[in-house]
Amino acid sequence: MEQTTKKARFDLSTDKSLKSMLSKFGSLLGLLILCVILSFASDQFLTFKNIMNIANQSALNSIISVGMLLTIITAGIDLSVGAMLALSICVMGVLTSKYHVNPFLALLICLSVGAFLGFLNGIMLTKMKLPHPFISTLAMKNVARGLALIVTAASPISGFSKSVQFLGSEKIGSVPVSFILVIVVFIGFHIFLTRTAQGRYIYAVGGNPEAAKLSGVNVPRTLVMVYTISGIMSALCGIVLVGRVNAAFPLAGLDYDADAIAACIIGGASFMGGSGTVWGTLIGAMIMAVLRNGLNLLSVPADYQTVAIGLVIIGAVYVDVLRNQAQKKAKAVPTSNTSAQTTSA
């Protein structure tokens, strides 16, 4: 009997270890499996040129997703990232084309506009006591998109200088500058979230805001900071987009919020808050880019690609639901065991 019990315990621990490994590296495993499938489906997939193309394609979603990640870690969401991107680059476009503002100053103003819009999202959430960031960011989505249309008279602006286009159009060797920027940004955010007090505060607010408040964390200030950063990353993504297409247009970034949310959830973040990593988010963005690239190589029509991406998003959210249910059960088991031991005593 004792040997059977020991064996059961050993199997249980092994099972937990396996679940832990799958939880940590499941998205990476999914990316590798997807790459293997596509490499057999198309002989062009594993070419160096195509891999660099995927790196370039993933840059936009990666940059905007890391800002979205912070909001999701706090159990929030930012539906306005695409609209903030559009307004930021449209303001920059008007300044450079109509008022001939110095390109470097225009870039700083672009980032400042994104930061200000994100700051307003945080203020609406914390000071105006709106019930959920869904409300404040949805309102900002409409306001920013409308202002972008007004500022540009609903017309695209083109003809940017090379200094403005640098991040989105240039390469160092064969590697796109945009993807090098992604790596630098993600290293910076990894250090921020794992090595600084503010990063730990973000996880604490998402895990349990009341406990964080009792521990001395300034919850409103942390939330305002998170949404401000999300605005900055939206504007930075816009700068890369302008470099890629040499144009600023008011309808830019229409579906970027959905893609960013999908990248975060696929990468292991949870809508419940308190979890998520920058590298998981990068893998999630890469999965989205690899899937789109592979479908293009296989000549799948754009309509069917949209359906495929939608199914991936549903699957990612469902996995998040299952993950949360498993965590709740894991927390309930020790409590049940403790109660049983107390009763028997």
Side-chain angles (χ1 to χ4, degrees), residues 22-345:
L22 288 175
S23 177
K24 288 181 179 179
F25 303 106
S27 57
L28 178 59
L29 179 62
L31 176 60
L32 294 175
I33 291 173
L34 182 60
C35 289
V36 170
I37 293 173
L38 290 175
S39 65
F40 281 106
S42 173
D43 56 359
Q44 299 177 17
F45 179 77
L46 279 183
T47 61
F48 180 78
K49 181 180 178 180
N50 189 57
I51 290 173
M52 289 298 100
N53 187 32
I54 292 172
N56 190 34
Q57 291 173 351
S58 68
L60 293 175
N61 193 21
S62 298
I63 292 170
I64 209 165
S65 294
V66 76
M68 181 70 75
L69 173 66
L70 300 190
T71 67
I72 291 178
I73 290 175
T74 62
I77 199 168
D78 191 347
L79 300 178
S80 65
V81 289
M84 290 191 295
L85 176 156
L87 181 55
S88 299
I89 62 175
C90 285
V91 169
M92 179 179 68
V94 170
L95 290 175
T96 54
S97 64
K98 189 175 181 178
Y99 298 101
H100 307 292
V101 173
N102 180 278
F104 293 103
L105 178 59
L107 289 172
L108 290 176
I109 292 174
C110 178
L111 294 173
S112 300
V113 170
F116 179 68
L117 296 173
F119 174 78
L120 290 180
N121 276 335
I123 290 297
M124 285 190 288
L125 178 63
T126 57
K127 299 299 182 182
M128 295 176 65
K129 306 296 183 183
L130 296 184
H132 193 273
F134 179 92
I135 304 298
S136 55
T137 59
L138 181 61
M140 178 59 71
K141 177 178 183 177
N142 288 277
V143 170
R145 186 70 67 185
L147 288 174
L149 289 165
I150 293 170
V151 166
T152 60
S155 300
I157 300 170
S158 59
F160 289 90
S161 66
K162 288 186 177 180
S163 55
V164 173
Q165 296 182 56
F166 177 77
L167 291 177
S169 63
E170 296 299 321
K171 294 182 179 180
I172 296 179
S174 300
V175 181
V177 170
S178 58
F179 191 70
I180 296 174
L181 174 65
V182 166
I183 299 301
V184 172
V185 166
F186 271 70
I187 290 173
F189 271 90
H190 173 74
I191 294 171
F192 171 67
L193 285 175
T194 61
R195 297 289 187 270
T196 68
Q198 291 297 327
R200 291 191 291 270
Y201 293 164
I202 292 171
Y203 282 103
V205 169
N208 191 328
E210 290 300 322
K213 184 178 179 181
L214 293 174
S215 300
V217 177
N218 189 325
V219 175
R221 185 170 63 188
T222 301
L223 290 173
V224 170
M225 176 190 67
V226 162
Y227 284 90
T228 302
I229 293 173
S230 181
I232 294 172
M233 299 315 297
S234 298
L236 181 60
C237 179
I239 292 172
V240 175
L241 177 63
V242 167
R244 185 171 297 179
V245 300
N246 191 23
F249 47 101
L251 295 182
L254 274 179
D255 298 323
Y256 284 18
D257 51 352
D259 284 357
I261 293 168
C264 294
I265 300 303
I266 291 171
S270 172
F271 283 123
M272 301 301 292
S275 65
T277 66
V278 295
W279 301 118
T281 299
L282 179 59
I283 291 171
M286 292 298 296
I287 288 175
M288 301 281 287
V290 166
L291 182 60
R292 282 201 171 98
N293 177 267
L295 293 175
N296 284 328
L297 290 177
L298 297 175
S299 300
V300 176
D303 296 341
Y304 290 93
Q305 291 187 32
T306 303
V307 172
I309 296 297
L311 292 175
V312 169
I313 294 173
I314 292 172
V317 173
Y318 182 61
V319 169
D320 178 44
V321 171
L322 294 178
R323 185 166 54 231
N324 288 322
Q325 290 177 349
Q327 289 175 352
K328 287 180 180 179
K329 288 181 181 179
K331 291 179 180 178
V333 169
T335 305
S336 301
N337 291 341
T338 304
S339 301
Q341 290 175 3
T342 304
T343 304
S344 62

